[in-house]
Amino acid sequence: MIRVKYAFASILFLFAAVSFAQEAVTKEKEPGHYNQSKFKQLYEEFATPNTYRSASGAPGPDYYQQQADYVMDIRLDDKNAKIFGTETITYTNNSPDDLEYLWVQLDQNIRTKDSKAALKNGSGIPLGDSPEKFVGNYMTESFDGGFNIDYVKDNSGKALPYTVNFTMMRVDLPTPLKSGDKFSFDIKWDYNIPDHTVNRARSGFEYFEEDGNRAYVIAQFFPRMAVYNDVEGWQNHQFWGNGEFALPFGNYEVNITVPADHILDGTGVLQNRKEVYTKAMMSRYEQAKKSYDKPVIIVTQAEAEAAEKGFSDKTKTWKLKAENVRDFGFATSRKFIWDMQAVRLGNRDVMAVSMYPKEGNPLWEEYSTKAVALTLKSYSSHTFDYPYPKAISVHAKNQGMEYPMICWNYGRPNKDGTYSDRTKYGMISVIIHEVGHNFFPMIVNSDERQWGWMDEGLDTFMQYMAEQEFGETYPEAIAPNAKYPSRRGDPAKIVPYMSGDQSTISPIMSNPENVYQLGPNAYGKPATALNILRETVMGRELFDHAFKTYAQRWKFKHPTPEDFFRTMEDASAVDLDWYWRGWFYTTDYVDMAVKDIKKYYVSDTPNKKMKAYLAERGIPESNLRPMVYLEEYDDSGMIAPELKDNLPSETSKTLKEFMMDNMTAAERAAVKEPKYFYEVTYNSPGGLPMPLIVEYTYADGSVENVTYPPEIWRKNSKEVSMVISSTSELKGVNIDPKMETADIDTTNNSWPKKEQESDFDKMKEGIKGK
Ligand SMILES: [Zn+2]
């Protein structure tokens, strides 16, 4: 069966006597209605392109970034849970500006005794707190965890004046640091390490009562250079806890001294493996380097359990070197089990590594390194080959936190080793997510302090793809014939948030400190937006190429939101300003509905619409040249008797005959012959424009799927009417049948309206069934 949609466009042309602005007549006339607002270009919202950042979304010819190199000696006092450090920072000023001072970040100062961070929330009594959080908030003395700065000196040993402002420290320079010059200075510091299981600190220790040991996951532990760039000057947003980090790239040489019975891993390449590994560990490591299909245990559970029973007073120094990283983290404990395997990426091998206390088993030895390896492969295929030599997943209770080459992850089985599906999937997902952060923001180094979504949203989107790949790669790990149960990414998953109370929803383009619901705001919604963009708006081919272009343009650089938005359009030739505007700059939601369907027949006398048009303008009907009209059936759906002769579907006169005066025989033979005409009116109460995906069902049983481009909403974002013609009678209209668009209300998506079974009916049926 064939349906004609546009045949009349050319036929009408022959008859055209009056030019009509048909759309303008029927569309809204309310005051304040901005016809093109949803599709207006984002010139007012976007920063103006310049020589640092091009209009294409690529780094401009004058793009620069600062460099901060660190040489550090770190000492852990395991007995007292204290950490000491001395560091030499060499700062290279690649900017065109001379700098009178340098800003250094002191993130641990969020935990000074008098920190205002604990006083930042004014939302009153919470719905509820976890016991740990409650104890932390109301039942303990506030912990003294801020930096103690011993000195800040230049290389000649001369003290440099400095001023601490909460989590930032300004170091005043003797003379301005000229563009292109370097400055080296030394800082000595220490602080008390917090128990990270209290108040969910991003780093610290977990104490294990049974054996009296701590497992440390240490980060934000040294004074770190703030970012200075063409967008913000010095980054000057304090660390309040939610907005994460903004850091320049640099090279690190870090020597970490810990008890001799500790196992340690961190950012960078170990420089003195033979000094810190046993012989057994060395030979297992050599095997792991050649093991591509499964991990090799480097430190066994038995060895870790034996180490737990002691407490060495001797020390060992682990020496790590990292190139081109934006941060440094490490984990250390005598409790750690350790495994590794090789992953082939391009023509290089990368090590996938896991470190976990026995409390993580049996889950961790089964899944952690598997998940690390899969993540590196999956993310590399969508961006660039993972450039670092290793990626480590460390098990730490309740943690999900990322650093270059290393991250902390939750997922702890019950004491007896059993675990729920929820724990298992939670663990695999968090590992994929945190290892994935190596790409965004550790390498594609966006400003997390300002834009949580640029790393969390992109990463959660990539996580969704990797999780689905995990399910396909390890079907035995998930339920039979099921997809991996991703928590975020599927359009339907974001509906509860987007349909929620607007007073607690902010646009994605918000600072992470300023939003009520950071999870859906910075993770779920952008991930869904990108997923829909890929699957439904752009298609995989265009999306994947553009996304990869963004990743490759900005790896080892500092992109802004505009760099992302512009690159996605530049590399695909898809104007997406309307999409960024709707999904990222507003809290509009998707709700598309079938409003009305009217049936029409073909006629050669002016229809009601034309009559009204002529009357309004005082044009006599006789002025019209012959035209074809679609006339609406009367309200009862019956045909006006005097018009019956004109109805090709109802009489012996065919549509072709009806048209014949104006067509040659050849033209008539080539024209298809629809019998039914409908005007289907759709509306969009949510206001977020989307492709309108419609499934039409006809009386002859055929089904037609039409995807109208989002541009149908460009002149009127509230309502559009589409004319369809068919050889069979229309029986059903269904919007978004596969639930691709995150439409928040599907009860208005169908014609005829689908009866919604009430809960009461369902309950009754349930009772009957028993
Ligand atoms: Zn994250």
Side-chain angles (χ1 to χ4, degrees), residues 402 433-434 437 455-456 459 523:
E402 69 277 11
H433 180 95
E434 307 305 343
H437 269 309
D455 65 303
E456 298 301 353
D459 186 33
Y523 297 66

Side-chain angles (χ1 to χ4, degrees), residues 181-452:
D181 280 1
K182 283 178 203 286
F183 184 71
S184 276
F185 61 111
D186 303 323
I187 306 176
K188 184 167 190 244
W189 51 267
D190 62 78
Y191 69 88
N192 297 314
I193 301 172
D195 178 341
H196 70 70
T197 65
V198 177
N199 268 342
R200 306 202 64 180
R202 289 168 197 271
S203 83
F205 64 78
E206 176 184 358
Y207 181 69
F208 294 83
E209 233 160 70
E210 292 84 2
D211 51 76
N213 286 295
R214 293 188 177 97
Y216 297 88
V217 286
I218 300 295
Q220 294 93 233
F221 65 96
F222 57 100
R224 305 182 294 177
M225 287 306 305
V227 166
Y228 181 89
N229 66 15
D230 59 290
V231 183
E232 303 272 347
W234 283 108
Q235 195 286 120
N236 53 24
H237 228 88
Q238 297 283 344
F239 180 46
W240 285 98
N242 283 338
E244 294 186 293
F245 309 105
L247 299 153
F249 287 105
N251 302 322
Y252 287 66
E253 273 182 65
V254 186
N255 303 323
I256 309 166
T257 302
V258 294
D261 49 0
H262 268 214
I263 295 299
L264 181 147
D265 211 343
T267 306
V269 177
L270 187 58
Q271 303 296 300
N272 60 336
R273 199 174 302 275
K274 284 196 178 131
E275 284 168 46
V276 290
Y277 274 33
T278 63
K279 277 218 171 78
M281 285 165 70
M282 277 308 287
S283 86
R284 293 167 191 161
Y285 173 69
E286 290 306 321
Q287 287 171 44
K289 285 203 289 189
K290 286 172 255 148
S291 178
Y292 295 90
D293 57 338
K294 59 176 190 304
V296 172
I297 305 273
I298 308 293
V299 174
T300 67
Q301 182 158 337
E303 286 162 349
E305 285 183 32
E308 274 182 358
K309 297 191 175 81
F311 195 104
S312 178
D313 286 327
K314 298 203 180 75
T315 61
K316 253 185 200 172
T317 299
W318 299 65
K319 298 178 178 170
L320 290 154
K321 232 175 164 172
E323 278 173 21
N324 215 6
V325 289
R326 56 166 251 173
D327 201 0
F328 190 98
F330 67 95
T332 182
S333 178
R334 59 182 64 79
K335 287 179 67 69
F336 284 146
I337 303 161
W338 208 1
D339 72 49
M340 302 178 190
Q341 77 165 73
V343 182
R344 193 78 179 157
L345 293 173
N347 53 6
R348 292 171 50 248
D349 281 348
V350 171
M351 295 303 277
V353 182
S354 297
M355 241 172 39
Y356 39 95
K358 67 174 188 297
E359 284 76 6
N361 268 343
L363 199 49
W364 274 69
E365 66 180 29
E366 174 72 31
Y367 289 115
S368 177
T369 299
K370 232 176 221 175
V372 176
L374 181 126
T375 305
L376 295 177
K377 287 181 197 158
S378 174
Y379 277 59
S380 293
S381 73
H382 290 287
T383 54
F384 41 79
D385 285 343
Y386 182 68
Y388 292 137
K390 67 184 182 190
I392 314 158
S393 161
V394 182
H395 177 39
K397 190 183 177 186
N398 296 342
Q399 285 284 347
M401 199 52 215
E402 69 277 11
Y403 303 96
M405 305 183 213
I406 190 166
C407 54
W408 336 138
N409 300 302
Y410 54 75
R412 184 160 300 177
N414 304 316
K415 279 225 156 81
D416 64 1
T418 60
Y419 52 83
S420 64
D421 275 354
R422 188 165 177 255
T423 302
K424 179 179 76 179
Y425 291 129
M427 172 230 182
I428 294 168
S429 289
V430 74
I431 292 174
I432 292 173
H433 180 95
E434 307 305 343
V435 171
H437 269 309
N438 273 296
F439 294 82
F440 308 96
M442 297 304 153
I443 296 168
V444 178
N445 188 351
S446 59
D447 181 349
E448 297 177 274
R449 189 65 54 87
Q450 289 292 351
W451 306 117

Side-chain angles (χ1 to χ4, degrees), residues 750-764:
S750 304
W751 172 84
K753 212 168 158 61
K754 275 192 188 124
E755 286 298 320
Q756 295 289 310
E757 215 184 350
S758 73
D759 287 347
F760 182 69
D761 288 339
K762 272 186 215 157
M763 192 187 73
K764 270 200 308 197

